[in-house]
Amino acid sequence: MTWNIINTRERRPEAVHHALDQTLLDNMDQGDGEPTLRFWYRKTPAVPLGRFQAYKDEVATDYVEQNDIPVIRRVTGGGAMFVEPGAVITFSMYLPREEVPEDVRENYRMLNQWVIDALDNVGLDAHHEPLNDVSHADGKIGGAAQLRKKNAVLHHATLSYSLNIEEMLRALRIGEKKVSDKAVKSAEKRVVIMQDYIDHDRATVIDEMIAKFKEKYGGDTAAVDKETVDRAEELAEEKFRTDQWNKKL
């Protein structure tokens, strides 16, 4: 199995990233895709919402609407997040289902391990926290989510590099009433920001992640082909930019 590794640094709208996830997963499920690792580069801040979460329960609706922050429902489960360009590291893996354990706990552990090894190499003492988190002794660095289809698996994760905790609390309902110093400090204890622990810039961390991935799985540099991008942009309009999808719960 030869992996494609996509790190073209092309900034895309949040909705298109989610549409690419669905398109590349569908391609893999239908036997038309190659195993792929793809890093995301965003154009704007956004709130990715878990597939089964209720929009009004998780999102500070007035704040995101006043600040034009897109809220996009993922195809995977898990919790709502606040993300900013350059402040997080998000990646997706699309791979044949037969290549991962059916046991969910073992599945997450296996697919998080190369990330943990890469973070260790840049000086961040990370570990896997069941079920699906990448953690540090001081708190959570990031979390993963998956969607399994008959023949394919999507595994994606977001890691905090220099996330603005106050903005996160303003965008999510947990901080809607008041962004107090106490709330910020409490959140800071739960979320580990890489930049507070290492001197490497974000690009260097991603380069180390790619190096560790190649060491473990191999892989060649690639890009998303135009046909896939065109289909994803259509899907973004048909689904991921619609209230029918994003606010359905």
Side-chain angles (χ1 to χ4, degrees):
M1 186 170 74
T2 302
W3 283 83
N4 289 333
I5 299 176
I6 299 173
N7 185 37
T8 54
R9 303 186 180 186
E10 184 173 355
R11 295 182 183 275
R12 303 184 192 278
E14 187 74 16
V16 174
H17 278 301
H18 292 264
L20 277 170
D21 263 2
Q22 180 170 328
T23 302
L24 288 165
L25 177 66
D26 288 346
N27 289 348
M28 173 64 63
D29 190 49
Q30 294 160 10
D32 294 332
E34 300 293 335
T36 299
L37 167 67
R38 180 177 72 90
F39 286 87
W40 299 30
Y41 291 84
R42 294 179 163 90
K43 284 190 170 181
T44 68
V47 174
L49 187 66
R51 179 168 188 162
F52 305 107
Q53 291 186 297
Y55 178 86
K56 290 183 178 178
D57 288 348
E58 304 296 334
V59 179
T61 55
D62 289 346
Y63 186 78
V64 299
E65 289 169 10
Q66 289 165 7
N67 291 277
D68 294 324
I69 298 172
V71 179
I72 309 294
R73 185 177 298 278
R74 299 193 302 270
V75 294
T76 59
M81 300 177 294
F82 174 70
V83 295
E84 298 174 292
V88 299
I89 298 173
T90 300
F91 68 86
S92 296
M93 300 169 67
Y94 319 91
L95 66 164
R97 184 160 179 162
E98 65 191 21
E99 295 294 328
V100 296
E102 281 299 312
D103 180 84
V104 174
R105 294 174 70 89
E106 178 60 17
N107 187 325
Y108 274 113
R109 187 204 63 74
M110 186 186 90
L111 295 179
N112 276 350
Q113 190 58 52
W114 66 275
V115 179
I116 291 164
D117 293 342
L119 296 180
D120 284 344
N121 278 4
V122 295
L124 188 61
D125 187 13
H127 63 270
H128 174 70
E129 183 83 29
L131 175 70
N132 55 349
D133 288 344
V134 175
S135 292
H136 179 273
D138 293 340
K140 178 177 173 177
I141 302 169
Q146 294 186 356
L147 177 62
R148 301 176 190 83
K149 304 195 84 169
K150 181 179 180 181
N151 301 310
V153 172
L154 161 67
H155 174 96
H156 59 189
T158 293
L159 312 172
S160 301
Y161 177 75
S162 58
L163 192 63
N164 185 326
I165 296 295
E166 290 189 29
E167 264 309 278
M168 181 189 79
L169 291 172
R170 292 188 183 99
L172 301 181
R173 193 171 174 81
I174 53 174
E176 190 175 35
K177 290 184 178 179
K178 183 181 180 183
V179 182
S180 65
D181 289 345
K182 184 177 179 181
V184 172
K185 288 179 180 177
S186 176
E188 285 175 342
K189 288 181 180 177
R190 297 193 302 270
V191 180
V192 165
I193 308 297
M194 283 188 214
Q195 199 175 46
D196 294 340
Y197 292 80
I198 60 175
D199 294 330
H200 300 290
D201 62 23
R202 179 173 172 272
T204 300
V205 176
I206 293 174
D207 287 345
E208 181 57 36
M209 290 174 68
I210 291 172
K212 183 55 67 176
F213 186 90
K214 284 184 174 179
E215 180 182 311
K216 190 172 184 64
Y217 297 109
D220 298 322
T221 301
V224 184
D225 64 80
K226 184 177 184 306
E227 182 181 351
T228 299
V229 172
D230 289 347
R231 173 59 190 139
E233 289 179 346
E234 290 175 3
L235 185 60
E237 288 303 309
E238 294 167 359
K239 179 175 179 178
F240 291 101
R241 288 193 175 103
T242 68
D243 286 350
Q244 185 178 7
W245 171 254
N246 292 321
K247 299 181 181 178
K248 68 176 184 176
L249 296 176

